[in-house]
Amino acid sequence: MTVDLSTTYLGMRLPHPILPSASPLTGDIDHVLALVEAGAPAVVLPSLFEEQIDHDAMAVHQGLELGAGAFGEAPSGYLPLLDDYNTGPGHYLDLVRRVKNEARIPVIASLNGVSSGGWTRYSKVLAENGIDALELNIYRVAAGVEETPSEVEADYLHLVETVRAAIDVPLAVKVGPYFSAMGSFARRLGEAGADALVLFNRFYQPDIDLATLSVIPNLELSSRYELRLVLRWIAILHGRIEPELAATSGIHEPEDAVKALLAGATVMMMASALLRRGPQQLTWVRDGLERWLTENDYVSVAQARGSLSQASVGDPSAFERANYMRTLTSYAPSW
Ligand SMILES: Cc1cc2nc3c(=O)[nH]c(=O)nc-3n(C[C@H](O)[C@H](O)[C@H](O)COP(=O)(O)O)c2cc1C
């Protein structure tokens, strides 16, 4: 019997739940076509950065360029030139059109704004130009020592409410994990208008270069271990808040996608593994997910979704324990 992998995410009916997330791969039509060939049912485009549009200093772009040398394992040909990494709204809308016309799959555009006017203005521009859904990439380090958590959260919520009021396409919000009360904040993001939460954004951590005694932006591809934090929060939130949950960070192998599904993810997104290994890694993960579900007697992804969420497991405190005494005290050095 075949397993039904179909999934509805942000109002889109998809044949399976493995999606390429925002990265330079999805910013290039030839790579998008290769991803579709590998089975991608929809794509999240790289973020349109407001700074980019305004031609201001583009710290993110610089970060990406500096990080490019770190992709030692990337087979040549799959790592697009970062110089071409979406260069403004005209180019971006052209990419939306080409993905719709040539790849014929749903398009989730991504926006990273700075000013409140910018977020709404460009959300509207994107929504009016044929996208199927919008992902807000809210990416900010709350570095102000006077700024309180409630002020930071209020800013995020206001932004989501404002964009929600401005557009009528489905809206996803991608945030990082660094909130003191993630559960309540996630619920309030839903109440503010997010149809889905994309968990979690990764902050690119700056490093210190000891040779030049300077701070350097640094972008590393993810490791599989990073999925653990995502699993914890998706498992805790599944079934308890309105928005759908998309898993991003550390999904490299079929087992990672299976775990995210069992925790409660609606879709599982991939970037680093596709940059490292190429589009065929998506096929591998999709096929492996199907194989695992078949071998474990599930009839559909819908049946498996959330079956190991906090609400479903025998020991619900397992996802909440941060300092598990027995694990910590029994750790033995390997030498
Ligand atoms: C080179 C690179 C560029 C990225 N660009 C974006 C972006 O423009 N917008 C965004 O929301 N996320 C961006 N991401 C984050 C990915 O979409 C993804 O959420 C993150 O890398 C974690 O998933 P992974 O473990 O599969 O890489 C980028 C990641 C990489 C590695």
Side-chain angles (χ1 to χ4, degrees):
M1 200 173 60
T2 53
V3 184
D4 178 6
L5 296 181
S6 66
T7 299
T8 302
Y9 177 59
L10 293 172
M12 298 170 276
R13 187 84 184 143
L14 306 173
H16 68 81
I18 313 294
L19 304 188
S21 70
S23 86
L25 262 188
T26 61
D28 171 283
I29 188 65
D30 291 333
H31 290 96
V32 172
L33 291 171
L35 287 164
V36 172
E37 181 80 27
V43 274
V44 186
L45 300 187
S47 301
L48 176 65
F49 288 95
E50 189 180 336
E51 297 104 311
Q52 217 170 6
I53 301 167
D54 295 343
H55 299 289
D56 282 352
M58 232 302 260
V60 176
H61 198 163
Q62 257 177 21
L64 292 174
E65 281 177 353
L66 282 167
F71 301 146
E73 296 159 67
S76 57
Y78 281 125
L79 192 62
L81 280 176
L82 292 169
D83 279 349
D84 292 336
Y85 191 34
N86 75 60
T87 45
H91 183 271
Y92 201 88
L93 295 179
D94 190 47
L95 178 65
V96 171
R97 265 189 298 276
R98 292 194 69 183
V99 175
K100 295 292 291 180
N101 294 339
E102 296 173 39
R104 298 185 173 280
I105 52 167
V107 175
I108 304 169
S110 166
L111 179 64
N112 182 307
V114 177
S115 63
S116 58
W119 281 103
T120 30
R121 190 162 56 250
Y122 296 112
S123 295
K124 277 192 193 153
V125 171
L126 292 168
E128 285 159 8
N129 278 276
I131 60 169
D132 295 274
L134 179 65
E135 188 176 287
L136 300 181
N137 172 15
I138 315 183
Y139 186 87
R140 135 168 200 243
V141 176
V145 294
E146 303 291 339
E147 202 175 21
T148 66
S150 17
E151 285 164 354
V152 174
E153 291 177 10
D155 276 358
Y156 274 67
L157 297 171
H158 178 65
L159 169 63
V160 174
E161 275 165 10
T162 314
V163 173
R164 175 70 292 163
I167 61 167
D168 55 13
V169 298
L171 186 65
V173 175
K174 183 172 183 180
V175 291
Y178 306 116
F179 293 91
S180 29
M182 190 70 220
S184 125
F185 183 55
R187 175 183 54 77
R188 286 177 291 143
L189 284 170
E191 288 164 3
D195 300 303
L197 301 182
V198 184
L199 306 177
F200 284 117
N201 219 340
R202 292 169 78 227
F203 288 102
Y204 299 116
Q205 317 290 2
D207 199 1
I208 289 180
D209 184 337
L210 292 179
T212 58
L213 291 183
S214 58
V215 179
I216 47 167
N218 195 3
L219 184 147
E220 308 259 357
L221 297 183
S222 69
S223 73
R224 294 179 71 189
Y225 177 75
E226 292 173 50
L227 179 64
R228 303 278 184 91
L229 187 62
V230 176
L231 286 181
R232 159 177 277 162
W233 280 107
I234 289 190
I236 289 174
L237 296 173
H238 176 76
R240 294 168 75 186
I241 60 168
E242 283 292 316
E244 293 166 341
L245 302 169
T248 177
S249 283
I251 296 175
H252 294 201
E253 298 293 333
E255 294 77 12
D256 306 324
V258 171
K259 290 177 188 177
L261 176 69
L262 297 182
T266 300
V267 288
M268 287 71 85
M269 296 185 171
M270 301 174 66
S272 295
L274 298 177
L275 286 163
R276 270 201 193 103
R277 304 240 176 101
Q280 69 278 1
Q281 191 66 12
L282 188 141
T283 320
W284 168 247
V285 171
R286 181 225 165 272
D287 291 353
L289 171 68
E290 183 172 28
R291 204 166 35 247
W292 191 93
L293 291 169
T294 308
E295 285 167 6
N296 288 277
D297 299 326
Y298 287 96
V299 294
S300 64
V301 292
Q303 184 196 14
R305 181 171 299 119
S307 55
L308 283 178
S309 68
Q310 190 185 31
S312 309
V313 291
D315 175 10
S317 68
F319 284 113
E320 285 176 24
R321 256 180 235 127
N323 288 301
Y324 190 29
M325 198 233 338
R326 201 146 25 105
T327 314
L328 298 181
T329 53
S330 63
Y331 191 86
S334 51
W335 38 269

